[in-house]
Amino acid sequence: MKTLKFISAIAITAILSFTSCQSEESTEVGTNPNANSSTSTTASNYERAAMNDGSDDDFLDGNSCTELLFPLSATINGKPITLISKLDFSTVLNIMGEFNDDNDTVIFDFPISVKTSNYTEVVVNNQAEFSTLKQQCETAEQQGKDAISCIDIQFPVTMLTYNVTLEQTGSVVVQSEKQLYTFMTGLDGDELFAVNYPISATLSNGTSIQIKSDAEFQDAISECVQFEDEKDDAANTATEVEAILSGTKFKVETFITGGVNKANDYANWSIEFTNDSKIVAKNIINSVLGEIEGTYTVSSETDAFVNINFANNTAVSALKNDWIVSTYSNTLVTLKSKTDASVTLAFKKL
C-alpha cells in the first residue's frame, strides 16, 4: 500500500472551487506569530495530505498518483474483464491470485480516464501516455513531491487567514480534502494562514489522535510515514519469500520447540510449496506413508508471515503455525512463531 500521489504534469489545470465560510472575526482575532506562508513546511504538509488518493488501485495501474475512473475494461492475465466499480477489484485479485509464481499482466483497453492528485480528470489515450504518468509519479517520489495518504484529517477544519503584517483578515471553514487542497494551492504570496487547532485525525495504523499544533501535525506525519515504510518493506519481503518457496521442495533444517531441535523427526520428509498455495509433505523413505497435503499463505503487515496449515494428528501437524519471516535467502528460509519467538523453524532447499 504506497502513499504517493502527484499532480500530473500533462493534466490540464482545473479550476477548482468550493464554498467557504469567511468572516472578519473568528475565535482568534488580531495577530498570530505562528502564521504560515504558502511555501512553509506546514503548507506543504497540508497540501500533500489533501491530495487525491490514487493508491487503492495500485495493483492494477502501478501508479499511486492516479485514480482509475469507471467504467473501464482490461485484460488481466489473458482474461478480459469490465470493471464497473471498486466492487470488481475482488474479481481482479482472484485472477491475479490464482497462481503465485506467474507474472501478472494488465492490458487496458484505451482510452481510459483517471483522476490526478489535483483532482483533475484526464483521458489517457494510449500506453505511451499511461507510461508517462507513471514515470512522472516515480519522479515525484524521488523529488519529495509525493502525497501523504497515511493520515486522514477529520473535517471541518477552520483556517485563519492573515496578511503579511500578521493581522487576521478572515477565516475559512474547510469541509473536505478537496477543499483543503484548493485552499492550500490557492494561497497568494502575500497571504498567511494558521490552523485553528485542535483538529482530529486518524493514522493508517488505526490510531485516532488530536493535533494541537503544526509541530504535532509534523510528528503525526512522521509516525504514519514510518509505519507505511515498514509495511512496504514487509510487503517486499513477503513477495520475495513467496517467490523462493513457490514450486520448490525443502527439508526441515531446524525445528526448535521447548528448547529442543526436533528436525530429526522430519528427516525423511520433503516439504513442497506448490504454486497454487498447497503445501505437500512426502515421506521420501517410506512411500506407504504417502503424502500429507495442507495449505500455506504468505502475507504481510509490518512483518512478513508464512501461515502453514496441516490437519491435526498427522506426522507433520506440529509445523502448523503462523510464522514470522526472520531471515531468508535463495536456499534457506528461517521463521519464528508469531505467538512464541522461542519456537523457530528453518526450511532448506533440496
Side-chain angles (χ1 to χ4, degrees), residues 244-253 265-274 278-284 292 294-296 308 310 315-317 319 345-350:
I244 292 168
L245 294 176
S246 181
T248 307
K249 291 182 179 180
F250 294 82
K251 69 175 183 178
V252 176
E253 180 73 359
D265 294 348
Y266 308 93
N268 298 334
W269 294 86
S270 67
I271 308 293
E272 180 182 4
F273 295 82
T274 71
K278 293 184 177 65
I279 182 170
V280 181
K282 183 176 181 180
N283 193 293
I284 57 179
I292 302 172
T295 59
Y296 78 98
I308 295 176
F310 282 114
V316 292
S317 58
L319 303 180
L345 173 64
F347 289 115
K348 186 174 182 178
K349 185 178 292 187
L350 289 174

Side-chain angles (χ1 to χ4, degrees), residues 144-281:
K145 296 180 180 179
D146 52 310
I148 302 165
S149 58
C150 60
I151 184 168
D152 287 330
I153 299 169
Q154 305 302 306
F155 296 97
V157 171
T158 299
M159 295 290 181
L160 310 176
T161 57
Y162 298 84
N163 58 27
V164 292
T165 62
L166 299 180
E167 294 177 335
Q168 186 175 342
T169 58
S171 65
V172 177
V173 179
V174 179
Q175 300 283 0
S176 67
E177 286 187 342
K178 184 176 181 179
Q179 288 185 4
L180 177 58
Y181 178 82
T182 303
F183 173 82
M184 299 310 309
T185 56
L187 288 170
D188 293 330
D190 59 351
E191 290 182 297
L192 306 178
F193 77 96
V195 183
N196 191 20
Y197 294 107
I199 65 172
S200 297
T202 303
L203 305 184
S204 56
N205 62 7
T207 303
S208 296
I209 59 175
Q210 188 175 74
I211 300 169
K212 301 177 181 178
S213 67
D214 293 342
E216 288 188 11
F217 188 58
Q218 177 64 65
D219 290 343
I221 289 172
S222 298
E223 178 184 341
C224 72
V225 167
Q226 180 179 351
F227 175 76
E228 291 298 314
D229 288 344
E230 291 173 356
K231 285 178 61 179
D232 287 345
D233 290 343
N236 290 334
T237 294
T239 298
E240 293 172 0
V241 168
E242 186 170 51
I244 292 168
L245 294 176
S246 181
T248 307
K249 291 182 179 180
F250 294 82
K251 69 175 183 178
V252 176
E253 180 73 359
T254 61
F255 179 39
I256 299 174
T257 179
V260 178
N261 187 355
K262 296 186 177 181
N264 284 337
D265 294 348
Y266 308 93
N268 298 334
W269 294 86
S270 67
I271 308 293
E272 180 182 4
F273 295 82
T274 71
N275 68 350
D276 57 353
S277 301
K278 293 184 177 65
I279 182 170
V280 181

